[in-house]
Structures are given as structure tokens and as C-alpha cells.
């Protein structure tokens, strides 16, 4: 091996040794900062978390449905629990009153007939909502029709309820049948009878072979039927404007339901039964509405619900439902003699073509109030819940849905047809429907519902009971009117005539 070869071998050996040597230690990595945990930030507590609001209304399913549906939405937003309790309509007034009077206070919210408010406000059971309403811009209070802000919400200048509904009774008629038979929408109650009779005699049937009745009117006892007779009688009794009143004489507080005018109303009411469905005297409003949407009625008296139910899926009355202000009369009551006399410009200053119309604001519209005895935090949640249902974003939708039982009560709901057309109404149907309500609302001869102490007894007990006997053939017209008069007089004597008269006059001073 020469020197050159030795050097090469040495270099190779050094490479081998270098390759076999342990690698140098990796340089120390700089310390990493501690990583934050991956927990999500805690959500802020919802405003009404842990609060339960018990609300009572009647077992519709109307009214209860939007309360439950909107209650669920409200719960998701605020954390409150909305518990909706329902009872039959005939039990609602007394159930609420007993709960308040006994101090049980099971209910934080009551959704009820505003005409009953006097019996709940005078003993101090309801929360005064005036300041809350004024502080709540989302309510858009001025957009609520003046009549509903006043009659349905206000008592002695203070606000006690939040309106959720607007109620007037109207007459609905089938436009296709009217056209087929050459009939005009009824302008008088005699026209109504003639229309119903013509349809009945024609023996029309639906496409699936079911009979079409000339008239369908809910007449069931202990339900919501006792308003119907007042819708007919009012045109014969009141002709001098809203302040005249249609229930009692303004001097004596004697009932106006025992005279030739009310006798004529009873005749008409009973005759409609001849052209109605079998067992009509046992049908509630839910039954007659079902017959309407099944295409089996040519005429009916009802609140605004028919207009929206007619456009629901499956309805056979869609685009065939017309609406008009309650029919009127060419004769009215002479209050001095108790006789019916022909309309004159002096007797019927608001008559149209000689016909006195007296549209009846029956019921006034479902409204919500708050129990004064509830805890402060519950009252806050209760008011926010009622406000949420009333606000335009919710109410503008709910009044277009038939199953809610809510009818229009905001000015904007009458002016803007978009929601109605979007809901399925034709433009013409929307104009007819809203026009009939507006004609009633704007009438200078509108009849206000009774809102005196214990009005529920006058109407829901005495009037309802007497009318039921009359329709069942258990007593004649004279006996029916006497039973009403005697029952009303007895209650008036018990409560005090002067007190009742003062309350009645105060109600008739309502702005509209």
C-alpha cells in the first residue's frame, strides 16, 4: 500500500465512523405558551329564564292556538315558560272571577271578553297597564283601531288590556250561488230570509252530493250563540246613533227587549232555522264554520273568522265568500209606544236608501290582561308576552290565519292588502272582507256590546236561556220577551238601578 492508498483508506474510515456516530442532540425547542381551553363562552342568561307565566283562555281551539304557538317562540327568545290553560267558554268568566275572588291567583294572564273587564277591574284584580303601554314603542299603540283601544282596552281612562283581536258580526253569502240564482247580497233581514228560502227551495248540493243549506247560524245554548239575536234585533231597536244604546232605555234603564221590535227579531231568527241544517239549535260556531268551508251554507252570521277560514287549504268556499255589513230594517222602534214604525229622516238619520243598519260590535275582540297579584318579575314577563303577540310582526300574520280566531284590529291591517293576498285571498275578496268590517267600524250607528257590572249574567244566563227555550219550541215570543225582561229587571234591582244606568251611559260615551 502506498502512501496515497493509505490516505484514501483513512478518509473512507473517517466517513464510516462519522456515519456510525450518534446524531447530535436536537436543539431545545422554545417553550410554547399555554393554549387556552376550547370551552365556548357562556351565553348570557335569557331575560326571563326560570319564570313561569300561567295564562288562561277558552278551549277554542281558536285563541288558544296562537297563544301556545307564540308562547313557544317567546319562551325560546326569553327563557320564560308560557303555560296556556283552557276551559270551556261557558265556564271562562266564572272560573277567572272565582280564582281572583278567592285569592287563589292561579292565573297571571287572562285572555277574555273585554266586556267582562268591569267585574275584574272594580274589585282591583287587574294590573293597570297604562305606564307599560306608553313605554313600549314596539306595540305601535296608535296603529290599533281607536274603538279597540278604547272599548276593549280602557276603563275610566286607564289601560287594562292588550287587544289581540277585533270583533264585529257580519253576514257572509256565497257569491257563486247568488250569481246562479240571480240574488243580491241581503240589505235587510227580510232580504236575508228571501235569500235563504230561495236556496233552500232550490235544493242545491255540493259536488260530493251533500245538501247546501239556505242559512247556517250557530244557535247552541251555553256557547257563543247569544250574540246572534242581538245582531238581528239591533237594526230594529237602535236608529239614532251609538249613544242611543240598544239594550236599555236611557231614562229608566228598562230593557228594550220586550216590544214589537224585539218580537220581529225573534220571528226572523226562528224562521232562519227552517232553512238551516238539521239540529241547528245545537250547533256552535265551530260547527257552522265547518259547514261553511265544506260548501254547505249559502248564508251565515259570524265574526271575521269566516273570511280567513274560507281561504284555508281544503275549503270549498274559497273565492266564493262575500261579506256585507249586517242587514238592516226599514222599520224601527218607537220607544214611546213600543211599536214598530216606518223609518223617516228624523227617526233613521243614518239610513242608507231607507234602510237602518246597526252593526253590532259583538264581544269586542279577545284581549289579554294581567293579574295584579302576580309577582313583579312574572308581571314583567306576562306583559312582554302579550306585547309580543300584539306587535305587528306577529299580529299581521295571525289575523290572516283562520284557525287563530284573531280578526283584524290594526289600522294598517285594513290598509295593506299584501298580507291578505299572500295568505291566499283574491284582491277582490280581501276588499269585500275588509270593507264589510270597516263599514261596521265606521258606522255612526254602531251598537256597542253590553259592558255594565255582571253583563255576563244579563246576556250569558238570562238572554241565552230564554232564547234557547224559544228555539226549542218550549215557549212563545211573548213568554220569551217577558222572561228576558223579568230576569234583567231582577238583576238590576239587586245591583242598583242608578248604578247600572250610570255604568251603561258611561259605556255609550265610548269614542269610536
Amino acid at each position: 500500500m502506498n502512501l496515497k492508498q493509505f490516505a484514501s483508506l483513512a478518509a473512507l474510515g473517517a466517513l464510516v465512523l462519522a456515519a456510525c456516530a450518534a446524531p447530535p442532540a436536537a436543539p431545545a425547542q422554545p417553550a410554547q405558551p399555554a393554549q387556552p381551553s376550547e370551552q365556548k363562552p357562556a351565553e348570557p342568561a335569557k331575560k326571563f329564564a326560570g319564570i313561569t307565566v300561567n295564562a288562561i283562555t277558552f278551549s277554542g281551539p281558536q285563541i288558544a292556538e296562537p297563544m301556545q304557538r307564540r308562547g313557544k317562540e317567546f319562551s325560546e327568545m326569553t327563557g320564560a315558560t308560557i303555560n296556556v290553560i283552557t276551559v270551556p267558554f261557558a265556564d271562562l268568566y266564572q272560573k277567572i272571577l272565582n280564582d281572583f275572588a278567592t285569592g287563589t291567583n292561579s292565573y297571571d294572564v287572562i285572555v277574555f271578553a273585554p266586556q267582562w273587564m268591569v267585574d275584574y277591574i272594580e274589585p282591583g284584580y287587574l294590573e293597570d297597564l297604562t305606564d307599560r303601554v306608553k313605554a313600549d314603542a314596539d306595540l305601535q299603540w296608535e296603529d290599533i283601531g281607536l274603538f279597540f283601544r278604547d272599548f276593549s282596552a280602557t276603563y275610566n281612562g286607564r289601560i287594562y288590556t292588550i287587544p289581540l283581536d277585533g270583533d264585529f258580526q257580519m253576514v257572509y253569502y256565497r257569491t257563486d250561488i247568488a250569481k246562479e240564482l240571480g240574488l243580491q247580497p241581503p240589505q235587510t233581514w227580510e232580504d236575508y230570509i228571501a235569500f235563504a228560502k230561495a236556496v233552500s227551495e232550490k235544493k242545491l248540493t255540493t259536488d260530493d252530493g251533500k245538501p247546501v243549506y239556505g242559512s247556517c247560524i250557530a244557535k247552541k245554548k251555553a256557547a257563543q250563540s247569544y250574540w246572534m239575536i242581538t245582531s238581528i234585533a239591533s237594526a230594529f231597536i237602535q236608529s239614532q246613533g251609538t249613544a242611543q244604546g240598544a239594550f236599555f232605555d236611557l231614562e229608566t234603564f228598562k230593557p228594550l227587549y220586550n216590544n214589537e221590535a224585539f218580537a220581529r227579531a225573534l220571528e226572523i231568527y226562528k224562521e232562519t232555522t227552517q232553512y238551516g241544517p238539521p239540529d241547528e239549535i245545537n250547533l256552535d260556531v265551530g260547527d257552522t264554520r265547518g259547514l261553511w268551508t265544506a260548501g254547505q251554507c249559502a248564508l251565515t252570521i259570524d265574526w271575521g273568522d269566516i273570511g280567513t277560514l274560507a281561504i284555508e287549504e281544503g275549503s270549498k268556499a274559497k273565492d266564493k265568500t262575500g261579506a256585507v255589513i249586517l242587514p238592516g230594517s226599514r222599520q224601527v222602534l218607537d220607544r214611546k209606544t213600543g211599536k214598530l214604525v216606518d223609518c223617516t229622516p228624523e227617526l233613521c238619520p243614518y239610513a242608507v236608501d231607507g234602510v237602518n243598519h246597526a252593526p253590532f260590535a259583538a264581544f269586542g275582540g279577545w284581549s289579554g290582561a294581567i293579574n295584579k297579584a302576580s309577582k313583579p318579575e312574572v308581571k314583567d314577563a306576562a306583559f312582554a308576552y302579550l306585547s309580543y303577540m300584539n306587535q305587528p310582526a306577529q299580529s299581521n300574520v295571525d289575523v290572516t290565519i283562520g284557525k287563530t280566531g284573531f280578526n283584524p284590529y290594526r289600522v294598517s291591517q285594513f290598509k295593506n292588502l299584501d298580507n291578505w293576498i299572500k295568505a291566499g285571498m283574491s284582491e277582490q275578496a280581501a276588499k269585500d272582507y275588509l270593507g264589510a268590517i270597516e263599514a261596521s267600524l265606521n258606522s255612526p250607528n254602531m251598537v256597542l256590546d253590553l259592558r255594565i257590572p255582571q253583563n255576563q249574567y244579563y246576556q250569558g244566563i238570562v238572554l241565552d236561556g230564554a232564547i234557547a227555550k224559544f228555539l226549542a219550541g218550549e215557549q212563545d215570543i211573548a213568554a220569551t220577551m217577558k222572561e228576558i225582561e223579568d230576569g234583567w229587571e231582577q238583576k238590576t234591582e239587586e245591583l242598583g238601578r242608578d248604578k247600572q244606568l250610570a255604568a251603561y251611559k258611561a259605556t255609550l260615551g265610548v269614542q269610536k
Side-chain angles (χ1 to χ4, degrees):
M1 176 181 300
N2 57 30
L3 183 60
K4 189 176 181 179
Q5 287 173 321
F6 177 80
S8 297
L9 286 172
L12 179 61
L15 287 172
V16 171
L17 287 172
C20 294
Q29 297 295 321
Q32 297 295 318
Q35 295 296 319
S37 68
E38 295 184 354
Q39 292 180 342
K40 295 181 180 178
E43 293 183 2
K46 292 183 176 178
K47 185 175 182 180
F48 299 122
I51 295 176
T52 296
V53 175
N54 291 317
I56 186 171
T57 191
F58 93 115
S59 48
Q62 304 90 354
I63 313 305
E65 186 279 331
M67 287 178 63
Q68 292 163 338
R69 176 166 46 83
R70 295 302 186 185
K72 184 179 180 182
E73 295 171 359
F74 183 78
S75 295
E76 292 170 352
M77 291 187 297
T78 67
T81 298
I82 304 297
N83 183 28
V84 178
I85 302 141
T86 64
V87 299
F89 179 79
D91 300 335
L92 184 61
Y93 165 84
Q94 199 62 47
K95 190 88 172 176
I96 295 170
L97 189 60
N98 289 346
D99 190 74
F100 286 151
T102 60
T104 306
N105 293 315
S106 306
Y107 315 119
D108 306 302
V109 166
I110 62 170
V111 175
F112 68 118
Q115 64 177 134
W116 301 341
M117 73 167 70
V118 59
D119 292 340
Y120 303 148
I121 293 173
E122 285 292 338
Y125 299 145
L126 297 188
E127 178 81 353
D128 184 337
L129 304 179
T130 307
D131 293 340
R132 291 178 186 269
V133 167
K134 289 181 178 178
D136 187 350
D138 292 337
L139 278 173
Q140 298 187 31
W141 191 249
E142 297 300 315
D143 185 43
I144 297 171
L146 180 57
F147 169 73
F148 302 111
R149 271 185 279 149
D150 198 273
F151 183 85
S152 299
T154 305
Y155 184 78
N156 283 343
R158 307 297 292 178
I159 298 170
Y160 287 91
T161 79
I162 304 297
L164 302 171
D165 174 34
D167 278 337
F168 277 89
Q169 288 203 328
M170 301 178 288
V171 158
Y172 295 91
Y173 68 100
R174 281 279 296 274
T175 54
D176 56 328
I177 292 176
K179 184 177 181 181
E180 180 182 343
L181 301 187
L183 301 170
Q184 296 299 315
Q187 296 300 306
T188 67
W189 286 108
E190 285 72 20
D191 293 341
Y192 185 100
I193 291 293
F195 193 123
K197 185 178 181 182
V199 174
S200 183
E201 290 177 345
K202 200 71 176 177
K203 298 189 181 305
L204 301 175
T205 59
T206 63
D207 291 341
D208 51 359
K210 295 179 181 177
V212 176
Y213 305 109
S215 170
C216 301
I217 302 175
K219 295 174 178 170
K220 184 179 180 179
K221 183 184 177 186
Q224 300 179 67
S225 301
Y226 56 83
W227 281 281
M228 307 298 180
I229 184 61
T230 299
S231 281
I232 297 173
S234 293
F236 298 96
I237 295 175
Q238 180 182 294
S239 62
Q240 298 281 306
T242 299
Q244 187 184 26
F247 291 96
F248 294 96
D249 181 89
L250 295 182
E251 297 296 326
T252 64
F253 202 67
K254 290 284 187 180
L256 296 172
Y257 274 28
N258 190 357
N259 48 51
E260 285 190 1
F262 196 71
R264 180 62 184 138
L266 288 173
E267 289 175 354
I268 291 169
Y269 195 41
K270 194 158 193 175
E271 185 171 353
T272 63
T273 310
Q274 296 179 28
Y275 315 120
D279 204 29
E280 186 186 42
I281 64 172
N282 291 316
L283 299 184
D284 201 353
V285 290
D287 303 312
T288 51
R289 290 170 185 172
L291 287 169
W292 185 271
T293 56
Q296 290 190 256
C297 303
L299 288 169
T300 191
I301 305 171
D302 207 318
W303 287 274
D305 305 71
I306 289 288
T308 47
L309 287 168
I311 58 174
E312 288 203 333
E313 186 176 355
S315 170
K316 296 180 179 178
K318 186 175 182 178
D319 294 330
K320 300 174 183 177
T321 298
V324 291
I325 190 173
L326 285 173
S329 172
R330 298 184 189 279
Q331 288 192 309
V332 297
L333 177 67
D334 180 336
R335 297 194 177 192
K336 293 180 179 177
T337 65
K339 305 291 185 184
L340 272 178
V341 296
D342 292 339
C343 265
T344 65
E346 292 74 27
L347 271 177
C348 306
Y350 306 110
V352 177
D353 297 330
V355 177
N356 178 61
H357 292 273
F360 181 33
F363 198 89
W366 291 90
S367 302
I370 296 174
N371 186 345
K372 189 176 181 179
S374 294
K375 295 179 180 177
E377 62 272 24
V378 176
K379 286 192 276 193
D380 290 344
F383 181 81
Y385 167 56
L386 290 174
S387 172
Y388 176 70
M389 283 197 292
N390 171 283
Q391 291 165 20
Q394 286 67 247
S395 66
N396 287 354
V397 174
D398 287 346
V399 296
T400 69
I401 303 173
K403 65 181 179 181
T404 64
F406 288 167
N407 304 148
Y409 60 95
R410 286 184 171 276
V411 175
S412 58
Q413 290 164 357
F414 290 98
K415 303 302 180 188
N416 186 353
L417 297 183
D418 292 347
N419 285 330
W420 303 97
I421 294 171
K422 184 179 179 181
M425 257 185 206
S426 67
E427 183 174 346
Q428 188 58 52
K431 288 179 178 178
D432 288 349
Y433 172 68
L434 297 172
I437 299 176
E438 277 196 292
S440 304
L441 192 60
N442 295 331
S443 170
N445 198 37
M446 176 206 301
V447 171
L448 300 179
D449 211 339
L450 200 56
R451 206 182 75 174
I452 59 174
Q454 297 198 30
N455 58 73
Q456 199 275 340
Y457 181 85
Y458 286 87
Q459 294 172 293
I461 304 298
V462 177
L463 177 63
D464 189 50
I467 295 298
K469 291 178 188 175
F470 172 67
L471 291 175
E474 297 173 9
Q475 59 188 19
D476 61 14
I477 287 177
T480 301
M481 294 195 297
K482 186 174 187 308
E483 181 175 326
I484 296 168
E485 185 177 53
D486 289 350
W488 286 11
E489 281 286 273
Q490 183 179 8
K491 179 56 69 175
T492 295
E493 290 296 328
E494 175 190 327
L495 298 178
R497 187 173 300 275
D498 290 344
K499 175 186 172 185
Q500 294 297 83
L501 176 57
Y504 187 51
K505 286 183 174 179
T507 299
L508 296 177
V510 167
Q511 292 178 302
K512 58 179 179 41

